[in-house]
Amino acid sequence: MDFLKPRYMPMNRRRRIYEGKAKILYEGPEPGTLIQHFKDDATAFNAKKHEVVDGKGVLNNRISEYIFQHLNDIGVPTHFIRRLNMREQLIREVEIVPLEVVVRNVAAGSLSTRLGIEEGTQLPRSIIEFYYKNDALNDPMVSEEHITAFGWATPQEIDDIMSLAIRVNDFLSGLFLGVGIRLVDFKMECGRLWENEMVRIVLADEISPDSCRLWDIKSNDKLDKDRFRRDMGGLVEAYSEVARRLGILSESDNPPPTAGPSLVKH
Ligand SMILES: Nc1ncnc2c1ncn2[C@@H]1O[C@H](COP(=O)(O)OP(=O)(O)OP(=O)(O)O)[C@@H](O)[C@H]1O
Ligand SMILES: [Mg+2]
């Protein structure tokens, strides 16, 4: 009897496709779909630093959902279909392009260290950088020459990735500016999605305070994973603040309860 069948397999019977540092991918309910599960694990410096931060997965799931849904709505293609529950979302399976695409608006992190530019310096224009996704090599920075020579992406795909990156950066900069946050930089991943004989580049993975640098406009307070990288504490409080400003957490949840974030139900 069809109507008695559960819509999703129970957790323990699902096939696990991949377990990474921050997320788990499970086989989805239909071919070509996956379930992306957000864990509470926080890692930095290629997992040399690791901690479990209660509530982080729930917040990243909600913040990433909010961003991907808005991008879908304005016609930026993404893998996101819909959120399923507090920690999981349904996504389209893509073939991940093995690149971490970093967009920078303000100098920080490795750009400041490598080039000796003081953190917080506004860049003359937005800069896109590519890193080869390879933990064993510590995700080294690569140029378009390396990408095409080694066949990680074609010149046309690099063009598509760069236009996608610019559109995402424009959208995110405006979104965050509107809630008093400066988008210093962010990392994104792209994938190839096949749709009736056609293949196109779409935004994949997640966009959350784990993968962005977000500074309060007035105080320059960090509202992102640098709080963890730099042992500043207050990670969940900072992520909750981002969610609250985006209107995902209700006003009454500020400051966040110690039991963990409570979420607005739609
Ligand atoms: N739509 C998608 N289809 C297939 N794989 C995806 C999709 N979106 C994201 N991924 C991949 O799923 C994984 C998510 O797990 P997680 O972010 O925890 O990985 P990670 O530990 O950061 O490792 P990695 O270096 O592979 O990103 C990543 O490898 C990411 O590239
Ligand atoms: Mg990752």
Side-chain angles (χ1 to χ4, degrees):
M1 274 184 277
D2 234 3
F3 65 89
L4 286 178
K5 273 194 202 152
R7 265 182 93 187
Y8 300 107
M9 266 202 252
M11 281 281 263
N12 54 0
R13 295 226 318 271
R14 276 190 201 150
R15 201 154 73 87
R16 191 190 315 207
I17 308 285
Y18 179 85
E19 175 150 9
K21 297 181 283 281
K23 301 187 288 295
I24 307 173
L25 296 181
Y26 295 98
E27 195 171 59
E30 276 148 43
T33 65
L34 295 174
I35 293 168
Q36 180 164 248
H37 176 107
F38 288 74
K39 302 192 285 183
D40 281 339
D41 299 58
T43 64
F45 313 114
N46 201 5
K48 285 196 260 300
K49 186 174 160 83
H50 176 244
E51 250 171 61
V52 173
V53 181
D54 266 2
K56 181 177 81 85
V58 171
L59 285 159
N60 280 354
N61 184 29
R62 287 299 292 258
I63 295 170
S64 202
E65 170 202 14
Y66 182 92
I67 291 169
F68 276 69
Q69 186 57 60
H70 277 79
L71 287 169
N72 280 345
D73 292 346
I74 60 166
V76 175
T78 84
H79 73 166
F80 181 81
I81 303 173
R82 65 191 155 86
R83 184 169 62 83
L84 297 172
N85 55 51
M86 296 284 271
R87 287 189 182 273
E88 296 176 326
Q89 44 184 250
L90 184 65
I91 59 172
R92 285 186 208 291
E93 182 169 22
V94 300
E95 182 184 278
I96 291 287
V97 175
L99 297 172
E100 303 218 326
V101 181
V102 172
V103 184
R104 299 178 180 275
N105 302 304
V106 175
S110 67
L111 179 119
S112 291
T113 321
R114 285 192 317 113
L115 305 180
I117 301 171
E118 198 189 341
E119 282 215 324
T121 311
Q122 184 76 38
L123 296 171
R125 61 174 176 81
S126 303
I127 294 173
I128 302 178
E129 299 172 341
F130 299 107
Y131 295 84
Y132 178 42
K133 251 173 80 72
N134 186 321
D135 282 345
L137 299 175
N138 263 321
D139 297 344
M141 191 182 203
V142 292
S143 72
E144 295 185 39
E145 283 285 285
H146 301 107
I147 298 169
T148 50
F150 297 119
W152 298 325
T154 64
Q156 177 62 55
E157 285 176 332
I158 297 179
D159 278 358
D160 293 348
I161 290 171
M162 289 178 74
S163 346
L164 198 63
I166 292 164
R167 292 178 76 189
V168 173
N169 185 47
D170 285 348
F171 170 76
L172 285 184
S173 298
L175 174 75
F176 285 123
L177 193 59
V179 296
I181 293 174
R182 185 143 73 131
L183 178 66
V184 171
D185 55 39
F186 69 96
K187 180 223 55 169
M188 57 177 236
E189 292 184 26
C190 300
R192 299 182 184 93
L193 181 66
W194 274 267
E195 271 171 342
N196 17 301
E197 315 286 290
M198 289 270 289
V199 56
R200 62 172 175 155
I201 293 287
V202 306
L203 183 69
D205 205 53
E206 70 176 292
I207 295 184
S208 71
D210 266 8
S211 56
C212 300
R213 281 200 174 88
L214 304 170
W215 295 359
D216 180 78
I217 286 280
K218 288 208 190 101
S219 65
N220 277 335
D221 273 354
K222 296 185 197 312
L223 302 172
D224 57 58
K225 202 167 86 170
D226 270 348
R227 299 202 75 88
F228 171 72
R229 291 191 193 95
R230 302 179 190 191
D231 291 318
M232 301 167 76
L235 192 81
V236 166
E237 290 76 7
Y239 287 27
S240 303
E241 176 63 13
V242 173
R244 190 191 62 79
R245 290 199 199 178
L246 292 174
I248 300 168
L249 286 177
S250 72
E251 295 294 328
S252 59
D253 294 323
N254 184 31
T258 44
S262 57
L263 297 164
V264 176
K265 290 184 189 63
H266 290 294

